[in-house]
DNA sequence: CGCAGCCTTGATATTCTTCAAGCATAGTGG
DNA sequence: CCACTATGCTTGAAGAATATCAAGGCTGCG
């Protein structure tokens, strides 16, 4: 972890993403305990700043409060990197390290972001008492596994158009600040990141975007994408 | 879940895989509580028998005691299936459903197997009291996420030879009944299953096995594979 | 204004899939 | 016990999808 501002953004009670985060479902007392015993601090990250480095000792999970991050993973020998996930507010980072002593992924901010550092030992302690917290934690873990399996399914069986359409729709859902689908998606990541995540060459991503544009499915303005025909995109994402 | 024998195979105390399963690390008292309060029953499965059907209400996890199972996943519309994982003794099934009300995967026995059904509500209750159990559960969850991310990395970035070499070495590790690497691997799954898991056509798997054979890396006797040159296989799995 | 990074597009090369045929194996019933 | 059949596996040839190589354009920042 690298140096970050020590400024403390919204406390749990005032936090916009409380509804979706690990603390969701806690009452006022619980929320207070969570904030003081479990949340170690809040990190304010600048674009491209690293939050977690692979190999760092694991005792902290991270909850995205604002912004967006990517997690990356490399082969043991360093060859072949891949983006494993894009993380929007409410998602938990570091879960794949629960079985190890050290973090298994790098995590980097795609835009200016804030992240809550969560003490894993303290979380464990607090879960003994707060069933709602345990339930929520397990929910997030399950969702994460589910999401990854969906990614595996994409990487294993889907062609380029399906992969890209699915990602765009994914980013659009929950991309609206209200958590609702938005008709315009701002890509916070480079074409390179997208390609890596989808298991494609970056040129393929570029070409596919152009094809979607020509087909009238969307409009491309740099990293802003206007979804013009959600229905057809959804059809492509599902069945090709 | 389909009908299974009601015979109860090894109790926890006598179980060979206790060392690797969810109950690892529990003392005698804990083990007793685990067996009586958390383990609902043990399923004896015949080859090809289904343990879990996608969509079944979720309140049970499964721990593999003996044998091997595969989990499969399909697109919502049913097109495109993929094998998500092969599960050997000690592994937990159903974790991806923790965030949902219903199971998200199918699970099928690849050979005659026994599986412990674990009540998720009871497990949650018992974890409040037994820290070691919580720790172990989180460890298994983390390992599962880690494993899946490694699969994503393979599916996204690796060529055919790398994928297959990595799988063979994976199956060899822990394939020995003592949990140690074995020099001969018995594939419990079809070429089709392997291909699906690796995101390839089954013909590609077959061809690649032949190439490995010609190169003197292994010998193929149906589903029994003798690994003749682990080192070179490992090199291929890592860097191609 | 100009540089640097990012993105698009085109041409070519490669990998993998698909289609098709034949072989081997394990299981079945005579 | 043996022949028979279904299933799974291997191999070959053709074709499709995608990567790679190469060049040029756009954009945002200094």
């Amino acid at each position: 972890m690298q140096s970050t501002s020590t400024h403390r953004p919204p406390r749990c009670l005032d936090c916009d993403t409380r509804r979706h985060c690990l603390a969701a479902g806690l009452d006022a007392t619980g929320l207070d305990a969570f904030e003081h015993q479990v949340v170690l601090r809040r990190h304010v990250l600048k674009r491209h700043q690293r939050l977690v480095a692979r190999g760092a000792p694991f005792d902290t999970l991270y909850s995205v409060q604002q912004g967006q991050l990517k997690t990356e993973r490399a082969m043991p020998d360093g060859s072949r990197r891949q983006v494993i996930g894009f993380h929007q507010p409410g998602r938990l980072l570091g879960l794949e390290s629960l079985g190890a002593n050290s973090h298994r992924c790098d995590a980097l901010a795609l835009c200016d972001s804030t992240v809550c550092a969560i003490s894993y030992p303290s979380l464990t302690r607090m879960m003994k008492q707060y069933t709602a917290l345990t339930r929520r934690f397990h929910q997030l873990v399950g969702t994460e596994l589910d999401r990854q399996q969906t990614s595996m399914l994409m990487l294993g069986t889907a062609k380029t158009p399906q992969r890209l359409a699915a990602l765009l729709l994914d980013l659009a859902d929950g991309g609206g600040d209200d958590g609702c689908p938005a008709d315009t998606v701002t890509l916070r990541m480079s074409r390179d990141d997208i390609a890596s995540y989808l298991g494609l060459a970056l040129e393929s991503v570029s070409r596919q975007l152009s094809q979607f544009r020509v087909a009238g499915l969307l409009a491309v303005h740099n990293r802003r994408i206007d979804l013009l025909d959600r229905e057809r995109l959804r059809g492509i994402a599902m069945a090709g």
Side-chain angles (χ1 to χ4, degrees), chain A:
Chain A
M1 247 265 317
Q2 300 186 336
S3 72
T4 54
S5 155
T6 57
H7 173 243
R8 285 199 147 223
R11 302 185 52 228
C12 286
L13 257 171
D14 310 323
C15 180
D16 283 341
T17 58
R18 193 174 95 214
R19 217 170 305 280
H20 314 109
C21 92
L22 179 55
L26 288 179
D27 56 24
T29 320
L31 210 58
D32 194 65
F34 184 81
E35 173 144 27
H36 289 96
Q37 293 163 32
V38 177
V39 175
L40 294 170
R41 57 172 299 190
R42 293 194 174 81
H43 293 286
V44 177
L45 301 169
K46 293 231 180 65
R47 192 181 189 216
H48 294 155
Q49 194 173 349
R50 175 179 296 158
L51 173 67
V52 181
R54 181 174 168 278
F58 168 75
D59 59 353
T60 312
L61 296 167
Y62 298 94
S63 176
V64 182
Q65 188 175 55
Q66 300 166 355
Q68 191 171 22
L69 291 90
K70 67 173 171 183
T71 46
E72 279 188 338
R73 189 153 182 132
M75 291 261 83
D77 66 346
S79 68
R80 286 185 294 174
R81 284 187 87 61
Q82 185 176 20
V83 172
I84 294 294
F86 300 117
H87 303 259
Q88 287 174 341
R91 278 184 69 177
L92 230 36
L93 296 182
L95 292 171
E96 69 283 339
S97 312
L98 275 171
N101 301 321
S102 60
H103 280 283
R104 323 267 357 216
C105 282
D106 291 315
L108 290 100
L110 291 169
C111 55
D112 294 355
S113 306
T114 65
V115 172
C116 307
I118 294 181
S119 159
Y120 171 61
S122 304
L123 175 64
T124 306
R125 237 173 285 123
M126 184 167 169
M127 283 196 295
K128 281 189 194 174
Q129 203 181 341
Y130 288 85
T131 305
L133 184 60
T134 304
R135 184 76 203 99
R136 181 71 187 141
F137 181 62
H138 290 174
Q139 247 173 32
L140 287 173
V141 164
T143 306
E144 206 57 43
L145 278 157
D146 189 43
R147 211 189 306 264
Q148 285 190 10
Q149 291 188 359
T150 304
S151 286
M152 285 179 64
L153 192 54
M154 280 293 162
L155 290 168
T157 69
K159 302 285 183 210
T160 302
Q162 302 163 349
R163 297 189 197 190
L164 187 56
L167 175 62
L168 290 174
L169 291 170
D170 238 41
L171 290 173
D173 297 347
D177 285 328
D178 47 0
C180 290
D183 274 344
T184 176
V185 185
T186 300
L187 305 175
R188 295 277 144 74
M189 68 296 284
S190 69
R191 301 286 193 269
D192 209 357
D193 285 333
I194 294 176
S196 171
Y197 176 68
L198 297 178
L200 300 170
L202 77 89
E203 293 95 327
S204 297
V205 172
S206 195
R207 271 185 251 274
Q208 191 58 56
L209 275 175
S210 297
Q211 280 185 239
F212 282 161
R213 176 169 44 71
V214 169
L217 296 175
L218 45 73
V220 182
H221 308 95
N222 279 314
R223 294 192 177 185
R224 222 194 59 234
I225 311 281
D226 297 318
L227 305 183
L228 302 178
D229 192 339
R230 254 160 185 288
E231 281 323 303
R232 212 133 59 91
L233 273 176
R234 202 170 298 280
I236 290 170
M238 298 266 286

